[in-house]
Amino acid sequence: MNAGSIIKYYRTKNKLTQLQLAEGICSISHLSKIESNAYSPHESTIKALLLKMGVLLNREVEKHMRLEKIIGKFIDCSLHYDLETMREIYKQLETENDYIQSTELVNQYELYKFRFYIYDTDLMKAEEQKKMLERMKASFLAPEHWVHQFFQSLYWSMMGDNTKSLEFLNSLDLGIQSIPQKFEGEFYYQKARMLVLADRHELSAHFAELAVRSFQLHHNYIRLLHAQILLAINYTRRNLLVQAESLYEVLIRNTHLTKQSVLHNQTLYNYTELLRLKNAHGEALEILQALKEKVEPDTYFYKAVLTSLLESMVEGGQNSAIQIEELKAISNSSKDQYFHIYAIYFEKRNFSQPDLMAYCEETMLPFFRKNGYIKETKNVAAELAAHYRNQQQWEKAYFYQTYDEENGGELK
């Protein structure tokens, strides 16, 4: 506990000058050094200064220990993905905000507030907190610097800039020894998540397996489910369908038993990708239709489910005109451009093939490349390659066929 900061907090709160507080106890210069924590006074001096303001030292020590424990629980909830408890603790801590600012707990508190805002997808507060932490970072210890960089990776991921997020993660590889061991799983998980979005599935699987082991070691069961979902996605995209199906079986059961409804829905959604690869379009369609009824409308996940539902309907030869119109209607804003592009794509599939291919080449491919959608870029490139082979336009067919190989699965 920084006694000097606490003394300054109560002096300011009581609207006392340094002269008024120091009188009869110590010199003004002595008090100034105490308040700046440049000098550690005798306990009797601390007691006298606090008592003059009606504050007892032993109660302050107890208060500090209580807040330290609460902030520790706030951090643990972050690591174990207990968002509901985090929200409750956040409200409690905010009532003590001014006091916390006067203690050495402030760095951790402000760092994990940033994490909380990212979890809560509160873009405005996350942006404000990011700016505040930039001003504070000169006071960070080595582990706090590492955590700050890591949270910035999470921030850019939330903002949709996966390239920048991965850059932050790559810069942290050598500093993993600076953080508590129980934090390693979070790092490995985030690295695996960014790599799967970059279509680098083998490396992503490596980090997902490390995350699984770390979460198992620390009995972090909810985050373990997250890491296993990533592994199942990796297995699916590497065509390890038996391993993927076995893992999805476990995940569907465990997310249901632990009443993790959001994770259960996400598991089912990703499972349909495996079903489509196995040509089980009917089963995929059934799951996606059930999800569409359960998921809250006009959320990002609802739009993702609707897009996959459209894909399954088209593959199954079903009339999807109503669903196309719905996706168009709910994806008109600029932040929904990804879904709007897919709505137009599905609509154009009902018309001429040349018009559809022109749309893929002129609109879809540039958008996916610019925004780092690797998997989608590869899918469109494959579709264009097949089209130009049929047209016997070999140069264009070859360009799109070798597109992914030349880029190594990543944008240059």
Side-chain angles (χ1 to χ4, degrees):
M1 184 177 90
N2 289 333
S5 298
I6 302 299
I7 290 166
K8 184 177 180 180
Y9 166 76
Y10 280 111
R11 179 178 65 77
T12 305
K13 187 177 180 181
N14 286 283
K15 299 179 180 178
L16 295 172
T17 66
Q18 286 187 332
L19 173 62
Q20 289 171 322
L21 179 58
E23 189 177 1
I25 300 173
C26 63
S27 67
I28 298 174
S29 62
H30 195 180
L31 177 58
S32 180
K33 287 178 182 177
I34 292 171
E35 289 190 344
S36 63
N37 297 302
Y39 171 76
S40 297
H42 193 276
E43 187 177 313
S44 61
T45 305
I46 297 172
K47 286 182 176 179
L49 289 167
L50 288 173
L51 191 59
K52 192 171 183 178
M53 297 182 285
V55 180
L56 297 175
L57 178 59
N58 62 335
R59 289 188 182 175
E60 289 308 300
V61 171
E62 288 173 7
K63 182 175 183 178
H64 185 276
M65 289 174 64
R66 178 177 62 81
L67 286 172
E68 190 173 20
K69 189 175 180 180
I70 294 170
I71 290 172
K73 189 175 179 183
F74 190 59
I75 292 169
D76 281 343
C77 287
S78 166
L79 293 171
H80 289 83
Y81 205 70
D82 185 355
L83 304 189
E84 286 306 311
T85 307
M86 266 196 102
R87 288 188 184 98
E88 292 170 11
I89 296 173
Y90 171 74
K91 290 177 185 175
Q92 184 181 354
L93 288 171
E94 280 296 272
T95 64
E96 304 275 10
N97 181 69
D98 290 345
Y99 185 85
I100 293 170
Q101 298 303 318
S102 69
T103 72
E104 77 284 0
L105 303 173
V106 63
N107 285 356
Q108 281 199 322
Y109 177 52
E110 295 298 343
L111 278 166
Y112 281 88
K113 273 170 67 175
F114 189 33
R115 181 65 177 114
F116 172 68
Y117 297 144
I118 294 167
Y119 265 147
D120 228 26
T121 59
D122 191 328
L123 304 186
M124 186 178 296
K125 284 189 176 179
E127 173 63 23
E128 290 171 359
Q129 195 69 6
K130 179 175 174 290
K131 291 176 181 175
M132 176 192 284
L133 291 171
E134 280 297 316
R135 295 192 296 270
M136 292 177 61
K137 68 181 183 181
S139 67
F140 290 168
L141 301 174
E144 292 167 346
H145 272 294
W146 196 98
V147 170
H148 179 223
Q149 292 287 97
F150 179 66
F151 288 171
Q152 287 191 80
S153 171
L154 302 182
Y155 169 82
W156 288 114
S157 172
M158 177 185 70
M159 297 300 289
D161 193 336
N162 296 331
T163 302
K164 197 160 188 176
S165 176
L166 191 54
E167 284 174 5
F168 271 100
L169 287 174
N170 289 337
S171 72
L172 291 172
D173 278 330
L174 297 177
I176 190 86
Q177 69 276 6
S178 296
I179 64 168
Q181 188 183 19
K182 64 180 178 180
F183 213 106
E184 289 182 12
E186 280 291 300
F187 171 70
Y188 295 140
Y189 170 76
Q190 181 68 4
K191 188 105 178 193
R193 196 169 76 85
M194 289 297 101
L195 286 166
V196 80
L197 292 172
D199 224 40
R200 297 172 63 186
H201 298 119
E202 287 191 30
L203 191 56
S204 173
H206 165 70
F207 282 105
E209 286 164 359
L210 289 175
V212 165
R213 287 202 288 272
S214 179
F215 291 141
Q216 285 174 331
L217 177 66
H218 297 289
H219 310 291
N220 194 342
Y221 300 119
I222 304 305
R223 291 308 258 165
L224 175 60
L225 293 172
H226 284 96
Q228 287 175 323
I229 290 171
L230 271 180
L231 265 183
I233 292 169
N234 270 296
Y235 290 154
T236 301
R237 294 181 185 175
R238 292 163 64 198
N239 212 33
L240 302 172
L241 303 188
V242 173
Q243 294 93 322
E245 186 145 33
S246 175
L247 191 47
Y248 273 126
E249 209 173 289
V250 172
L251 281 163
I252 290 167
R253 180 179 66 248
N254 288 348
T255 52
H256 170 69
L257 289 173
T258 55
K259 302 186 187 305
Q260 294 293 316
S261 57
V262 173
L263 281 181
H264 185 69
N265 291 341
Q266 289 173 351
T267 301
L268 289 170
Y269 169 75
N270 286 295
Y271 179 52
T272 61
E273 181 181 2
L274 170 64
L275 291 173
R276 288 200 301 271
L277 283 175
K278 293 174 63 181
N279 292 316
H281 299 299
E283 191 178 348
L285 194 61
E286 188 177 327
I287 290 171
L288 289 165
Q289 284 172 332
L291 277 176
K292 183 175 178 290
E293 296 304 314
K294 288 197 296 181
V295 176
E296 189 178 342
D298 204 29
T299 60
Y300 183 93
F301 188 52
Y302 181 87
K303 291 163 193 168
V305 168
L306 183 53
T307 302
S308 291
L309 177 61
L310 273 166
E311 191 173 350
S312 290
M313 291 179 78
V314 168
E315 287 169 346
Q318 295 193 27
N319 188 329
S320 56
I322 294 173
Q323 288 76 14
I324 289 171
E325 287 305 313
E326 182 184 1
L327 187 58
K328 283 170 66 178
I330 63 174
S331 61
N332 280 324
S333 68
S334 57
K335 66 183 177 66
D336 292 324
Q337 193 175 357
Y338 172 93
F339 297 110
H340 193 73
I341 281 174
Y342 264 115
I344 303 301
Y345 166 78
F346 288 122
E347 187 176 53
K348 286 183 179 293
R349 283 181 68 107
N350 296 324
F351 299 102
S352 70
Q353 181 75 357
D355 188 38
L356 175 64
M357 289 300 105
Y359 183 73
C360 286
E361 197 163 26
E362 296 166 12
T363 301
M364 294 188 82
L365 193 67
F367 174 81
F368 291 148
R369 287 190 64 188
K370 180 182 176 183
N371 292 281
Y373 294 109
I374 310 291
K375 178 170 74 78
E376 290 82 354
T377 301
K378 291 176 74 174
N379 289 343
V380 174
E383 194 168 353
L384 286 166
H387 168 71
Y388 284 118
R389 279 197 301 272
N390 291 335
Q391 297 294 311
Q392 297 188 353
Q393 295 186 39
W394 304 114
E395 190 174 342
K396 279 195 167 186
Y398 178 75
F399 170 76
Y400 287 115
Q401 184 177 321
T402 59
Y403 180 85
D404 300 317
E405 297 166 9
E406 291 172 358
N407 285 301
E410 294 183 87
L411 296 179
K412 299 296 185 186

